[in-house]
Amino acid sequence: MSGFKLSNLEDQKKLSDMPLGMTVHSLPHPDEVAHADELRTRMGRWKMVVLMLICASPVIASYFTYYVVRPDGRRNYGELISPQKDMPQVHATDLKGQSVALNSLKGQWLLVTVAAGHCAERCQQNLYFQRQLREVLGKDKDRVDRVLLVTDKASVSDSLLPALNQAYVLRLEASILRSWLSPSQGYQLEDHLYVIDPMGNFMMRFPANMDVPSATKAKKDLERLLRASASWDQPGR
């Protein structure tokens, strides 16, 4: 036992005589820190882009199916707007003079017509076809809302109110409308029916001077569009 203790004492003495070793960790270079921050920023941006694409993928897929795949070879009657134009972030007024945020209309497909308050013959015809197109969609009609955008301060005739039942009627300056909606070359804003998707994008317009045969073609366009978007669009806002 005494030899064991002596050996331990000798070992401890040897260890005490040995110099202590110290490891010095250098600080990172500022350029390395900046580079690491830049990489993290880039990665965060890419993650955000991927998340946005995932959220938008059902919409993109439905549009791709409707406009690109189309194995039956049919052509759409309505004119596709490219690039699509997002709904302006403005307020309109209703027939009672109350302020209404235009983007409150988002969440539904919209059939939009534009007119002055007195609503001349073309306006009345567009209102008629607008109403008929929605009704013939049957069970899907609750996914579509009718909108009349009035571009002046003229009173809307009481005789038109029955035709505007369950429609949104809002006043909005023509200059604002022109930044969002646009007619075909050679036509006026009032000549068309416009299609707005549930995200507020102006994405299609039907040719001017709609009649019964052309309304039948427009109906088929709406049916295919609603069918293609059925996986992500539901009635109600």
Side-chain angles (χ1 to χ4, degrees):
M1 292 294 290
S2 60
F4 177 76
K5 291 181 179 179
L6 179 62
S7 176
N8 281 348
L9 290 173
E10 290 176 350
D11 290 341
Q12 291 176 11
K13 186 176 184 301
K14 290 179 181 179
L15 289 173
S16 65
D17 293 337
M18 292 177 63
L20 293 176
M22 297 182 65
T23 302
V24 179
H25 297 279
S26 60
L27 293 174
H29 193 276
D31 290 343
E32 294 178 352
V33 175
H35 181 64
D37 288 342
E38 183 180 355
L39 288 178
R40 283 193 293 271
T41 301
R42 289 180 180 177
M43 184 62 68
R45 288 174 179 171
W46 276 112
K47 288 180 179 178
M48 181 65 70
V49 170
V50 171
L51 180 62
M52 291 174 64
L53 288 175
I54 291 174
C55 294
S57 59
V59 182
I60 296 172
S62 65
Y63 284 169
F64 181 82
T65 301
Y66 180 66
Y67 293 111
V68 180
V69 178
R70 295 210 310 258
D72 56 5
R74 290 177 295 185
R75 296 181 60 86
N76 51 287
Y77 172 68
E79 181 181 357
L80 178 65
I81 305 303
S82 182
Q84 298 175 8
K85 296 182 180 179
D86 192 19
M87 182 180 287
Q89 303 299 305
V90 297
H91 281 72
T93 56
D94 60 19
L95 292 181
K96 296 180 180 179
Q98 300 296 316
S99 178
V100 178
L102 190 62
N103 63 15
S104 66
L105 297 178
K106 289 184 177 182
Q108 290 276 81
W109 290 95
L110 305 176
L111 264 179
V112 176
T113 189
V114 178
H118 68 273
C119 195
E121 181 180 359
R122 171 48 54 193
C123 164
Q124 295 179 33
Q125 290 177 346
N126 279 343
L127 290 179
Y128 169 78
F129 286 115
Q130 183 190 53
R131 185 172 66 255
Q132 293 302 109
L133 283 172
R134 181 180 183 274
E135 291 301 316
V136 296
L137 292 174
K139 63 182 179 62
D140 282 329
K141 72 178 184 179
D142 290 335
R143 294 168 59 191
V144 179
D145 281 339
R146 296 181 293 130
V147 180
L148 169 62
L149 296 177
V150 180
T151 57
D152 60 16
K153 296 181 180 180
S155 299
V156 175
S157 173
D158 290 341
S159 63
L160 286 176
L161 295 182
L164 295 171
N165 184 39
Q166 297 183 338
Y168 290 90
V169 184
L170 299 175
R171 296 185 190 276
L172 198 62
E173 293 182 11
S175 59
I176 296 176
L177 275 177
R178 292 191 186 97
S179 70
W180 179 36
L181 307 179
S182 58
S184 297
Q185 187 173 0
Y187 290 93
Q188 304 296 318
L189 275 174
E190 296 81 3
D191 294 332
H192 298 276
L193 282 178
Y194 303 92
V195 180
I196 313 300
D197 72 20
M199 294 177 294
N201 297 310
F202 165 39
M203 48 79 62
M204 179 184 282
R205 63 175 166 241
F206 292 125
N209 304 317
M210 185 174 286
D211 55 18
V212 173
S214 59
T216 301
K217 297 176 183 178
K219 169 182 174 288
K220 292 179 180 179
D221 267 4
L222 289 174
E223 288 175 336
R224 291 197 297 269
L225 194 55
L226 292 174
R227 185 163 58 248
S229 62
S231 63
W232 57 271
D233 172 54
Q234 300 296 324
R237 301 182 184 282

